[in-house]
Every structure is written in structure tokens, then in C-alpha cells.
Amino acid sequence: MRVTSLAMLISTAASAATDAREDDRERRDAVRHAVEAGDVLPLSQILPRLRGRIAGDVTGIDIERQRGRWRYEFRVIGRDGRVLEVYVDARSGEIERIDEK
């Protein structure tokens, strides 16, 4: 009984990992197509704008599509040590909001 349960658990975990990799691949493809279509500015254009407005070090970057719009989310550790979440419209490069964590 324990061996069967363990085998089922391992099988389920392996399946979930495969699904996660497939989701990541689909997400990367969607972002790449959005950049190619001009719906998303590449990081090489966004980062200099961000660094010009926010003093600190970027420690994390994510991009997601919400309500039909792409948005970058940057985690920044400010020069004063505060941790900031900076949300940037991926099409225009404009900072939408900054939250302190």
C-alpha cells in the first residue's frame, strides 16, 4: 500500500513538473511574439528608463498579461534599503505604480 501511494505521488509530481515546463514555454513564446509584434518593449529599452527614475538595484523581473495588457513587474532594492515593487506598462514603458514591500 505504501509503495503504491509513493509511486502515485511521484507520478503526479512528475506530471505537474512537465505541465509547469510546458506552461513556461508557452508563456515565453507569448512574450517573444508580443515583443516581435511591438506590443511589448524589450527589457533593453525598459531597464534604462527604469534606472533613470528609480535609484536602486533591480533584483527581480516578471512580465504578465492582465486584462489584455502586458505589464512588467520589477523588484528593486532602493539605495535606502527599501524593497519596492515597480509596475511598468510593457507597451509604453511608463511606470504605473510603485509599492513598498
Side-chain angles (χ1 to χ4, degrees):
M1 179 72 168
R2 290 177 113 185
V3 173
T4 303
S5 295
L6 181 59
M8 288 176 55
L9 180 62
I10 291 171
S11 175
T12 301
S15 177
T18 300
D19 290 345
R21 281 193 301 272
E22 185 61 31
D23 288 346
D24 287 346
R25 184 177 307 124
E26 289 174 10
R27 184 174 175 194
R28 282 191 307 270
D29 288 346
V31 172
R32 187 181 76 249
H33 290 302
V35 170
E36 291 170 352
D39 294 330
V40 170
L41 291 173
L43 280 173
S44 62
Q45 292 179 23
I46 296 285
L47 284 172
R49 294 179 187 191
L50 181 67
R51 288 186 178 123
R53 305 227 13 238
I54 307 290
D57 297 315
V58 175
T59 60
I61 302 170
D62 195 12
I63 186 168
E64 56 187 31
R65 188 172 174 90
Q66 293 180 340
R67 291 172 272 198
R69 293 180 47 230
W70 288 98
R71 180 167 67 176
Y72 283 106
E73 180 181 324
F74 296 91
R75 180 166 288 223
V76 177
I77 298 180
R79 300 270 185 250
D80 58 1
R82 294 183 306 151
V83 177
L84 307 172
E85 294 284 336
V86 182
Y87 299 90
V88 177
D89 180 278
R91 183 179 203 127
S92 69
E94 294 298 317
I95 294 174
E96 293 178 342
R97 76 175 201 267
I98 301 170
D99 295 337
E100 187 173 345
K101 294 295 176 184

XYZ file of all heavy atoms in Angstrom:
803
model
N 0.819 -1.186 0.000
C 0.000 0.000 0.000
C 0.873 1.265 0.000
O 0.631 2.172 -0.767
C -0.916 -0.043 1.217
C -1.815 1.154 1.339
S -3.091 1.074 0.080
C -4.152 2.324 0.655
N 1.895 1.314 0.866
C 2.764 2.485 0.932
C 3.545 2.668 -0.358
O 3.724 3.783 -0.810
C 3.739 2.353 2.099
C 3.073 2.482 3.440
C 4.074 2.264 4.505
N 4.255 3.513 5.221
C 5.141 3.685 6.149
N 5.972 2.727 6.458
N 5.229 4.831 6.781
N 4.015 1.581 -0.960
C 4.779 1.661 -2.192
C 3.889 2.186 -3.323
O 4.302 3.046 -4.106
C 5.370 0.274 -2.564
C 6.022 0.321 -3.928
C 6.373 -0.162 -1.511
N 2.665 1.706 -3.386
C 1.727 2.168 -4.408
C 1.440 3.661 -4.237
O 1.432 4.419 -5.208
C 0.413 1.368 -4.338
O 0.715 -0.008 -4.492
C -0.547 1.799 -5.427
N 1.218 4.088 -3.000
C 0.942 5.502 -2.738
C 2.137 6.366 -3.106
O 1.985 7.439 -3.684
C 0.605 5.716 -1.266
O -0.584 5.049 -0.944
N 3.349 5.901 -2.779
C 4.553 6.641 -3.108
C 4.723 6.731 -4.626
O 5.047 7.794 -5.156
C 5.778 5.983 -2.471
C 7.111 6.667 -2.714
C 7.067 8.105 -2.194
C 8.232 5.902 -2.046
N 4.474 5.636 -5.321
C 4.591 5.631 -6.779
C 3.583 6.597 -7.406
O 3.906 7.323 -8.355
C 4.371 4.218 -7.323
N 2.376 6.647 -6.869
C 1.361 7.574 -7.381
C 1.776 9.023 -7.125
O 1.596 9.883 -7.983
C 0.002 7.281 -6.738
C -0.633 5.999 -7.247
S -2.176 5.580 -6.429
C -3.147 7.039 -6.661
N 2.340 9.278 -5.953
C 2.786 10.618 -5.606
C 3.908 11.068 -6.532
O 3.897 12.189 -7.045
C 3.251 10.662 -4.149
C 3.750 12.002 -3.640
C 2.634 13.038 -3.695
C 4.264 11.865 -2.225
N 4.873 10.199 -6.785
C 5.989 10.525 -7.679
C 5.477 10.772 -9.093
O 5.882 11.727 -9.759
C 7.053 9.407 -7.649
C 7.749 9.408 -6.290
C 8.056 9.583 -8.790
C 8.658 8.218 -6.058
N 4.559 9.940 -9.546
C 3.984 10.090 -10.879
C 3.244 11.422 -11.010
O 3.379 12.129 -12.005
C 3.032 8.932 -11.168
O 2.386 9.125 -12.396
N 2.478 11.778 -9.998
C 1.737 13.037 -10.005
C 2.696 14.227 -10.005
O 2.500 15.198 -10.741
C 0.798 13.117 -8.778
O -0.101 12.011 -8.826
C 0.018 14.414 -8.765
N 3.755 14.163 -9.199
C 4.735 15.251 -9.140
C 5.443 15.417 -10.480
O 5.662 16.535 -10.942
C 5.745 14.995 -8.026
N 5.801 14.312 -11.115
C 6.473 14.369 -12.412
C 5.548 14.982 -13.461
O 5.977 15.794 -14.288
C 6.919 12.972 -12.841
N 4.285 14.621 -13.421
C 3.314 15.178 -14.356
C 3.147 16.676 -14.145
O 3.082 17.452 -15.099
C 1.971 14.472 -14.193
O 1.007 15.047 -15.032
N 3.082 17.112 -12.898
C 2.941 18.538 -12.586
C 4.159 19.311 -13.060
O 4.034 20.426 -13.580
C 2.727 18.735 -11.093
N 5.356 18.744 -12.900
C 6.580 19.415 -13.348
C 6.575 19.565 -14.864
O 6.974 20.612 -15.392
C 7.807 18.641 -12.885
N 6.120 18.545 -15.574
C 6.040 18.613 -17.031
C 5.054 19.689 -17.458
O 5.326 20.472 -18.364
C 5.625 17.244 -17.609
O 6.604 16.278 -17.233
C 5.516 17.292 -19.117
N 3.896 19.735 -16.787
C 2.904 20.759 -17.094
C 3.460 22.157 -16.849
O 3.226 23.072 -17.635
C 1.639 20.557 -16.248
C 0.857 19.322 -16.652
O 1.110 18.771 -17.755
O -0.009 18.881 -15.859
N 4.210 22.342 -15.765
C 4.788 23.644 -15.447
C 5.797 24.058 -16.512
O 5.818 25.220 -16.927
C 5.451 23.609 -14.067
N 6.621 23.120 -16.976
C 7.595 23.436 -18.029
C 6.871 23.838 -19.307
O 7.281 24.756 -20.002
C 8.526 22.266 -18.278
C 9.633 22.128 -17.253
C 10.698 21.155 -17.700
N 10.197 19.829 -17.962
C 10.077 18.851 -17.071
N 10.443 19.066 -15.820
N 9.614 17.671 -17.409
N 5.785 23.136 -19.631
C 5.015 23.455 -20.831
C 4.387 24.843 -20.709
O 4.411 25.621 -21.650
C 3.930 22.401 -21.066
C 3.165 22.597 -22.357
C 4.020 22.520 -23.608
O 5.021 21.775 -23.619
O 3.685 23.215 -24.583
N 3.854 25.170 -19.523
C 3.286 26.500 -19.291
C 4.354 27.572 -19.439
O 4.098 28.630 -20.025
C 2.659 26.594 -17.900
C 1.375 25.804 -17.781
O 0.816 25.396 -18.824
O 0.938 25.576 -16.640
N 5.559 27.328 -18.910
C 6.666 28.279 -19.035
C 7.033 28.499 -20.501
O 7.272 29.620 -20.919
C 7.894 27.797 -18.265
C 7.751 27.908 -16.766
O 6.811 28.593 -16.298
O 8.570 27.304 -16.053
N 7.080 27.419 -21.256
C 7.430 27.515 -22.675
C 6.369 28.338 -23.413
O 6.700 29.220 -24.207
C 7.538 26.126 -23.299
C 7.989 26.159 -24.754
C 8.174 24.769 -25.358
N 9.040 23.960 -24.548
C 8.699 22.757 -24.036
N 7.503 22.262 -24.258
N 9.549 22.074 -23.324
N 5.101 28.073 -23.142
C 4.029 28.820 -23.787
C 4.090 30.300 -23.412
O 3.879 31.172 -24.249
C 2.668 28.236 -23.396
C 2.399 26.886 -24.017
C 1.112 26.251 -23.522
O 0.322 26.931 -22.834
O 0.900 25.068 -23.829
N 4.398 30.570 -22.153
C 4.498 31.955 -21.697
C 5.663 32.669 -22.377
O 5.527 33.802 -22.830
C 4.667 31.974 -20.177
C 4.675 33.351 -19.597
C 4.697 33.282 -18.100
N 4.823 34.614 -17.561
C 5.131 34.870 -16.335
N 5.335 33.900 -15.478
N 5.243 36.093 -15.911
N 6.818 32.011 -22.447
C 7.974 32.614 -23.130
C 7.655 32.901 -24.591
O 7.994 33.956 -25.121
C 9.199 31.706 -23.026
C 9.900 31.747 -21.695
C 11.238 31.041 -21.740
N 11.173 29.691 -22.258
C 10.974 28.594 -21.536
N 10.824 28.697 -20.234
N 10.937 27.410 -22.096
N 6.983 31.954 -25.242
C 6.606 32.148 -26.643
C 5.650 33.326 -26.794
O 5.787 34.130 -27.716
C 5.963 30.886 -27.212
C 6.958 29.754 -27.433
O 8.179 30.011 -27.404
O 6.506 28.603 -27.627
N 4.689 33.456 -25.886
C 3.731 34.559 -25.946
C 4.441 35.900 -25.775
O 4.147 36.861 -26.501
C 2.649 34.384 -24.884
N 5.377 35.964 -24.847
C 6.120 37.209 -24.626
C 6.969 37.532 -25.849
O 6.999 38.676 -26.322
C 6.986 37.129 -23.354
C 7.908 38.341 -23.249
C 6.114 37.006 -22.120
N 7.659 36.533 -26.385
C 8.501 36.755 -27.572
C 7.660 37.276 -28.739
O 8.037 38.248 -29.412
C 9.229 35.470 -27.971
C 10.242 35.712 -29.095
C 10.968 34.465 -29.538
N 10.075 33.658 -30.358
C 9.554 32.489 -30.006
N 9.847 31.960 -28.837
N 8.754 31.826 -30.805
N 6.491 36.672 -28.959
C 5.614 37.128 -30.042
C 5.118 38.551 -29.784
O 5.006 39.348 -30.725
C 4.422 36.177 -30.207
C 4.805 34.839 -30.758
N 5.439 34.666 -31.969
C 4.635 33.603 -30.245
C 5.655 33.382 -32.185
N 5.176 32.705 -31.148
N 4.829 38.883 -28.534
C 4.372 40.238 -28.194
C 5.472 41.260 -28.467
O 5.193 42.356 -28.967
C 3.919 40.287 -26.738
N 6.727 40.906 -28.160
C 7.848 41.812 -28.447
C 7.990 41.985 -29.958
O 8.119 43.101 -30.462
C 9.161 41.292 -27.818
C 10.358 42.090 -28.326
C 9.087 41.362 -26.299
N 7.940 40.875 -30.688
C 8.082 40.934 -32.144
C 6.964 41.744 -32.793
O 7.180 42.430 -33.784
C 8.111 39.518 -32.731
C 9.376 38.761 -32.380
C 9.315 37.280 -32.735
O 8.220 36.788 -33.118
O 10.350 36.609 -32.608
N 5.757 41.690 -32.212
C 4.612 42.421 -32.750
C 4.597 43.886 -32.324
O 3.773 44.665 -32.794
C 3.316 41.741 -32.302
N 5.489 44.266 -31.410
C 5.537 45.638 -30.939
C 4.570 45.929 -29.803
O 4.380 47.078 -29.427
N 3.971 44.885 -29.248
C 3.047 45.067 -28.117
C 3.788 45.191 -26.797
O 3.208 45.648 -25.807
C 2.066 43.888 -28.032
C 1.137 43.837 -29.233
O 0.830 44.916 -29.790
O 0.714 42.732 -29.609
N 5.040 44.777 -26.766
C 5.854 44.803 -25.555
C 7.228 45.354 -25.921
O 7.842 44.901 -26.895
C 6.007 43.380 -24.960
C 7.043 43.347 -23.859
C 4.672 42.857 -24.453
N 7.692 46.334 -25.151
C 9.055 46.828 -25.338
C 10.024 45.837 -24.712
O 9.751 45.293 -23.642
C 9.232 48.188 -24.663
C 8.491 49.355 -25.289
C 8.633 50.600 -24.416
C 9.019 49.625 -26.680
N 11.154 45.585 -25.355
C 12.140 44.667 -24.772
C 12.793 45.271 -23.533
O 12.821 46.492 -23.354
C 13.159 44.470 -25.898
C 13.002 45.653 -26.784
C 11.576 46.111 -26.654
N 13.306 44.404 -22.679
C 13.968 44.860 -21.450
C 15.109 45.829 -21.735
O 15.368 46.728 -20.944
C 14.500 43.671 -20.657
C 13.478 42.929 -19.824
C 14.093 41.673 -19.232
C 12.929 43.818 -18.733
N 15.771 45.649 -22.870
C 16.893 46.537 -23.206
C 16.449 47.988 -23.349
O 17.263 48.898 -23.209
C 17.580 46.066 -24.492
O 16.673 46.107 -25.587
N 15.168 48.224 -23.592
C 14.645 49.588 -23.659
C 14.000 50.016 -22.345
O 13.999 51.199 -22.005
C 13.624 49.705 -24.785
C 14.234 49.558 -26.160
C 13.194 49.662 -27.260
O 12.125 50.233 -27.070
N 13.509 49.097 -28.416
N 13.445 49.062 -21.615
C 12.740 49.376 -20.367
C 13.731 49.677 -19.228
O 13.543 50.633 -18.476
C 11.818 48.211 -19.954
C 10.715 48.006 -20.987
C 11.262 48.418 -18.562
C 9.614 49.012 -20.960
N 14.763 48.851 -19.073
C 15.676 48.996 -17.934
C 16.345 50.368 -17.842
O 16.408 50.941 -16.762
C 16.707 47.874 -17.928
C 16.182 46.525 -17.449
C 17.217 45.428 -17.663
C 15.773 46.595 -15.982
N 16.856 50.935 -18.934
C 17.459 52.273 -18.809
C 16.458 53.331 -18.328
O 16.806 54.205 -17.539
C 17.953 52.584 -20.226
C 18.126 51.262 -20.876
C 17.066 50.378 -20.273
N 15.216 53.231 -18.781
C 14.186 54.172 -18.324
C 13.929 54.004 -16.831
O 13.799 54.985 -16.103
C 12.878 53.931 -19.073
C 12.941 54.228 -20.541
C 11.609 53.930 -21.175
N 11.682 54.045 -22.618
C 10.630 54.043 -23.403
N 9.419 53.929 -22.894
N 10.768 54.144 -24.707
N 13.850 52.757 -16.413
C 13.595 52.482 -15.003
C 14.748 52.991 -14.137
O 14.527 53.657 -13.128
C 13.394 50.977 -14.788
C 13.094 50.529 -13.370
C 11.726 51.045 -12.929
C 13.123 49.016 -13.281
N 15.959 52.689 -14.550
C 17.134 53.122 -13.780
C 17.248 54.636 -13.720
O 17.774 55.189 -12.758
C 18.389 52.503 -14.369
C 18.477 51.024 -14.097
C 19.797 50.439 -14.555
N 19.852 49.033 -14.230
C 20.061 48.070 -15.117
N 20.238 48.372 -16.390
N 20.102 46.811 -14.739
N 16.738 55.318 -14.732
C 16.762 56.767 -14.734
C 15.764 57.386 -13.755
O 15.891 58.549 -13.385
N 14.786 56.608 -13.313
C 13.743 57.138 -12.430
C 13.770 56.565 -11.028
O 13.271 57.177 -10.098
C 12.370 56.853 -13.038
C 12.258 57.403 -14.441
C 11.044 58.194 -14.813
N 10.167 58.659 -13.809
C 8.874 58.351 -13.754
N 8.356 57.544 -14.654
N 8.109 58.866 -12.824
N 14.313 55.346 -10.865
C 14.332 54.675 -9.569
C 15.781 54.389 -9.193
O 16.479 53.678 -9.912
C 13.557 53.328 -9.613
C 12.142 53.504 -10.154
C 13.572 52.659 -8.247
C 11.213 54.249 -9.240
N 16.224 54.932 -8.065
C 17.592 54.688 -7.606
C 17.627 53.391 -6.806
O 16.950 53.263 -5.798
C 18.067 55.846 -6.739
N 18.376 52.428 -7.300
C 18.497 51.157 -6.600
C 18.888 50.052 -7.547
O 19.213 50.286 -8.718
N 18.863 48.839 -7.030
C 19.266 47.663 -7.805
C 18.055 46.797 -8.109
O 17.297 46.427 -7.207
C 20.285 46.843 -7.017
C 21.572 47.617 -6.770
O 22.072 48.244 -7.723
O 22.061 47.602 -5.628
N 17.899 46.438 -9.375
C 16.829 45.525 -9.787
C 17.248 44.118 -9.387
O 18.316 43.646 -9.777
C 16.582 45.608 -11.305
C 15.565 44.577 -11.744
C 16.132 47.013 -11.699
N 16.425 43.474 -8.574
C 16.754 42.118 -8.107
C 15.801 41.059 -8.651
O 16.040 39.874 -8.446
C 16.748 42.051 -6.573
O 15.446 42.396 -6.094
C 17.797 42.988 -5.991
N 14.743 41.485 -9.323
C 13.805 40.521 -9.888
C 12.954 41.168 -10.961
O 12.647 42.360 -10.892
N 12.599 40.370 -11.971
C 11.781 40.863 -13.080
C 10.759 39.794 -13.430
O 11.081 38.607 -13.496
C 12.636 41.154 -14.330
C 13.724 42.169 -14.024
C 11.761 41.627 -15.489
C 14.748 42.324 -15.134
N 9.535 40.239 -13.671
C 8.490 39.339 -14.148
C 7.678 40.110 -15.179
O 7.683 41.340 -15.199
C 7.594 38.893 -12.985
C 6.722 37.703 -13.333
O 6.962 37.068 -14.385
O 5.799 37.407 -12.570
N 7.016 39.387 -16.053
C 6.107 40.002 -17.008
C 4.852 39.156 -17.031
O 4.917 37.926 -16.979
C 6.734 40.135 -18.413
C 5.792 40.920 -19.334
C 7.118 38.794 -18.977
C 6.432 41.346 -20.641
N 3.714 39.832 -17.071
C 2.457 39.090 -17.117
C 1.439 39.884 -17.917
O 1.575 41.085 -18.111
C 1.937 38.815 -15.714
C 1.756 40.018 -14.858
C 1.398 39.654 -13.423
O 1.819 38.597 -12.940
O 0.703 40.459 -12.812
N 0.456 39.159 -18.377
C -0.625 39.763 -19.150
C -1.870 39.767 -18.280
O -2.314 38.723 -17.819
C -0.866 38.971 -20.426
C -1.830 39.612 -21.364
C -1.840 38.842 -22.686
N -2.848 39.337 -23.567
C -2.668 40.301 -24.452
N -1.474 40.852 -24.572
N -3.647 40.708 -25.219
N -2.415 40.962 -18.040
C -3.621 41.111 -17.242
C -4.605 41.998 -17.985
O -4.229 43.070 -18.456
C -3.317 41.742 -15.888
C -2.497 40.872 -14.977
C -2.235 41.562 -13.655
O -2.328 42.774 -13.527
N -1.898 40.770 -12.651
N -5.829 41.545 -18.056
C -6.893 42.307 -18.715
C -6.473 42.792 -20.098
O -6.706 43.943 -20.475
C -7.349 43.463 -17.845
C -8.099 42.990 -16.611
C -8.346 44.131 -15.714
N -7.136 44.152 -14.894
C -7.003 44.754 -13.753
N -7.962 45.449 -13.275
N -5.889 44.700 -13.062
N -5.787 41.912 -20.843
C -5.404 42.227 -22.203
C -4.181 43.107 -22.363
O -3.831 43.482 -23.474
N -3.514 43.442 -21.244
C -2.334 44.299 -21.301
C -1.145 43.597 -20.663
O -1.271 42.952 -19.640
C -2.602 45.603 -20.535
C -3.638 46.478 -21.173
C -3.895 47.766 -20.401
N -2.667 48.432 -20.025
C -2.405 48.863 -18.790
N -3.265 48.689 -17.812
N -1.282 49.476 -18.513
N 0.025 43.803 -21.266
C 1.259 43.275 -20.699
C 1.811 44.283 -19.702
O 1.749 45.487 -19.927
C 2.292 43.036 -21.792
C 1.977 41.863 -22.657
C 1.374 41.897 -23.881
C 2.243 40.495 -22.374
N 1.259 40.625 -24.370
C 1.783 39.742 -23.472
C 2.825 39.826 -21.302
C 1.897 38.359 -23.539
C 2.941 38.445 -21.360
C 2.480 37.731 -22.460
N 2.371 43.745 -18.617
C 2.953 44.612 -17.595
C 4.193 43.941 -17.019
O 4.186 42.759 -16.686
C 1.943 44.868 -16.496
C 2.480 45.750 -15.401
C 1.420 46.246 -14.490
N 0.848 45.144 -13.716
C -0.055 45.306 -12.779
N -0.540 46.500 -12.522
N -0.513 44.288 -12.115
N 5.275 44.738 -16.927
C 6.480 44.283 -16.245
C 6.324 44.571 -14.760
O 5.748 45.588 -14.379
C 7.722 45.038 -16.733
C 8.257 44.610 -18.072
C 8.078 45.408 -19.201
C 8.975 43.428 -18.203
C 8.591 45.037 -20.431
C 9.493 43.051 -19.428
C 9.302 43.851 -20.532
O 9.815 43.480 -21.736
N 6.877 43.682 -13.952
C 6.955 43.911 -12.513
C 8.413 43.755 -12.113
O 9.025 42.714 -12.346
C 6.097 42.899 -11.768
C 6.132 43.064 -10.274
C 5.285 42.032 -9.556
O 4.219 41.658 -10.080
O 5.719 41.602 -8.481
N 8.967 44.821 -11.535
C 10.360 44.811 -11.109
C 10.423 44.862 -9.594
O 9.692 45.622 -8.965
C 11.108 46.032 -11.661
C 11.203 46.052 -13.157
C 10.233 46.682 -13.916
C 12.262 45.446 -13.796
C 10.313 46.696 -15.300
C 12.362 45.458 -15.178
C 11.373 46.083 -15.929
N 11.300 44.074 -9.027
C 11.601 44.179 -7.598
C 12.916 44.946 -7.516
O 13.909 44.563 -8.127
C 11.748 42.814 -6.961
C 12.075 42.923 -5.462
C 11.887 41.626 -4.794
N 10.450 41.391 -4.725
C 9.830 40.927 -3.668
N 10.497 40.612 -2.608
N 8.529 40.751 -3.677
N 12.887 46.037 -6.760
C 14.047 46.922 -6.662
C 14.382 47.126 -5.195
O 13.492 47.380 -4.377
C 13.751 48.290 -7.324
C 14.927 49.231 -7.164
C 13.382 48.119 -8.789
N 15.662 47.012 -4.877
C 16.122 47.383 -3.545
C 16.707 48.782 -3.678
O 17.707 48.993 -4.363
C 17.157 46.393 -2.991
C 16.527 45.012 -2.870
C 17.690 46.893 -1.644
C 17.411 43.947 -2.334
N 16.019 49.737 -3.048
C 16.413 51.135 -3.152
C 17.721 51.408 -2.430
O 18.178 50.635 -1.584
N 18.319 52.530 -2.746
C 19.574 52.926 -2.098
C 19.416 53.045 -0.584
O 20.356 52.875 0.159
C 20.056 54.265 -2.661
C 20.317 54.250 -4.134
C 21.756 53.868 -4.435
N 21.993 53.984 -5.865
C 22.186 52.936 -6.644
N 22.163 51.725 -6.144
N 22.408 53.092 -7.923
N 18.184 53.295 -0.139
C 17.909 53.408 1.296
C 17.547 52.063 1.935
O 17.209 51.999 3.103
C 16.785 54.411 1.542
C 15.495 54.035 0.826
O 15.456 52.977 0.154
O 14.524 54.803 0.930
N 17.617 50.976 1.137
C 17.344 49.639 1.663
C 15.901 49.199 1.561
O 15.583 48.042 1.847
N 15.004 50.085 1.151
C 13.601 49.696 0.996
C 13.441 48.784 -0.211
O 14.138 48.924 -1.208
C 12.710 50.926 0.806
C 12.644 51.819 2.013
C 11.701 52.984 1.804
N 12.047 53.722 0.595
C 11.187 54.407 -0.154
N 9.918 54.470 0.188
N 11.593 55.059 -1.220
N 12.504 47.834 -0.102
C 12.190 46.937 -1.214
C 10.948 47.484 -1.901
O 9.917 47.709 -1.272
C 11.953 45.495 -0.729
C 11.568 44.597 -1.901
C 13.200 44.964 -0.029
N 11.067 47.689 -3.203
C 9.980 48.264 -3.989
C 9.528 47.294 -5.064
O 10.348 46.586 -5.652
C 10.439 49.566 -4.660
C 11.057 50.629 -3.772
C 11.629 51.752 -4.630
C 10.025 51.162 -2.795
N 8.239 47.279 -5.328
C 7.668 46.595 -6.487
C 7.276 47.703 -7.450
O 6.462 48.568 -7.115
C 6.434 45.782 -6.097
C 6.712 44.623 -5.175
C 7.331 43.428 -5.865
O 7.153 43.269 -7.090
O 8.000 42.645 -5.168
N 7.870 47.699 -8.630
C 7.624 48.741 -9.619
C 6.903 48.108 -10.801
O 7.403 47.163 -11.411
C 8.943 49.392 -10.082
C 8.669 50.515 -11.080
C 9.744 49.907 -8.884
N 5.715 48.631 -11.105
C 4.890 48.110 -12.187
C 4.997 49.049 -13.380
O 4.765 50.252 -13.253
C 3.443 47.976 -11.726
C 3.299 47.028 -10.564
C 3.385 47.480 -9.251
C 3.115 45.667 -10.786
C 3.280 46.599 -8.183
C 3.001 44.786 -9.724
C 3.083 45.258 -8.428
O 2.983 44.382 -7.379
N 5.360 48.466 -14.536
C 5.618 49.254 -15.732
C 4.771 48.723 -16.882
O 4.755 47.518 -17.152
C 7.123 49.180 -16.114
C 7.396 49.932 -17.408
C 7.987 49.718 -14.982
N 4.067 49.624 -17.554
C 3.316 49.245 -18.752
C 4.325 48.775 -19.800
O 5.231 49.520 -20.173
C 2.525 50.448 -19.275
C 1.731 50.107 -20.513
O 2.327 50.122 -21.618
O 0.527 49.817 -20.381
N 4.182 47.549 -20.253
C 5.178 46.946 -21.143
C 5.148 47.532 -22.545
O 6.132 47.448 -23.270
C 4.985 45.434 -21.207
N 4.051 48.133 -22.928
C 3.957 48.714 -24.268
C 4.571 50.115 -24.317
O 5.309 50.450 -25.236
C 2.511 48.755 -24.721
C 2.363 49.281 -26.121
C 0.915 49.302 -26.578
N 0.915 49.292 -28.025
C 0.264 48.447 -28.770
N -0.470 47.522 -28.218
N 0.331 48.502 -30.071
N 4.267 50.928 -23.312
C 4.729 52.323 -23.332
C 6.019 52.541 -22.557
O 6.723 53.519 -22.786
C 3.646 53.232 -22.749
O 3.511 53.005 -21.353
N 6.297 51.661 -21.580
C 7.469 51.841 -20.726
C 7.221 52.784 -19.570
O 8.134 53.085 -18.805
N 5.982 53.239 -19.405
C 5.644 54.167 -18.324
C 5.441 53.424 -17.012
O 4.810 52.363 -16.986
C 4.368 54.947 -18.662
C 4.526 55.869 -19.843
C 5.561 56.953 -19.633
O 5.586 57.540 -18.526
O 6.358 57.198 -20.544
N 5.948 54.004 -15.931
C 5.733 53.429 -14.611
C 4.280 53.674 -14.214
O 3.805 54.812 -14.248
C 6.689 54.052 -13.569
C 8.130 53.668 -13.905
C 6.322 53.615 -12.153
C 9.167 54.331 -13.036
N 3.590 52.584 -13.869
C 2.182 52.695 -13.479
C 2.041 52.963 -11.979
O 1.220 53.770 -11.572
C 1.430 51.402 -13.827
C 1.318 51.165 -15.305
C 0.619 49.869 -15.634
O 0.503 48.978 -14.755
O 0.169 49.736 -16.781
N 2.832 52.236 -11.194
C 2.781 52.462 -9.747
C 3.997 51.824 -9.101
O 4.654 50.962 -9.689
C 1.496 51.949 -9.147
C 1.374 50.477 -8.964
C 0.060 50.130 -8.215
N 0.145 48.841 -7.603
C -0.263 47.712 -8.154
N -0.835 47.734 -9.351
N -0.140 46.573 -7.531
N 4.247 52.271 -7.869
C 5.350 51.743 -7.072
C 4.786 51.400 -5.705
O 4.158 52.245 -5.061
C 6.490 52.778 -6.936
C 7.021 53.169 -8.311
C 7.601 52.229 -6.043
C 7.972 54.349 -8.292
N 4.981 50.153 -5.292
C 4.549 49.713 -3.970
C 5.760 49.388 -3.123
O 6.719 48.782 -3.629
C 3.685 48.443 -4.056
C 2.362 48.677 -4.775
O 1.909 49.841 -4.827
O 1.792 47.696 -5.289
N 5.719 49.806 -1.877
C 6.789 49.437 -0.947
C 6.416 48.136 -0.272
O 5.304 47.940 0.177
C 7.000 50.527 0.094
C 8.199 50.263 0.974
C 8.504 51.429 1.896
O 7.983 52.531 1.683
O 9.285 51.211 2.837
N 7.364 47.217 -0.210
C 7.115 45.909 0.413
C 7.676 45.865 1.802
O 8.505 46.536 2.224
C 7.713 44.779 -0.424
C 7.041 44.624 -1.756
C 5.629 44.193 -1.543
C 4.870 44.115 -2.830
N 3.512 43.811 -2.699
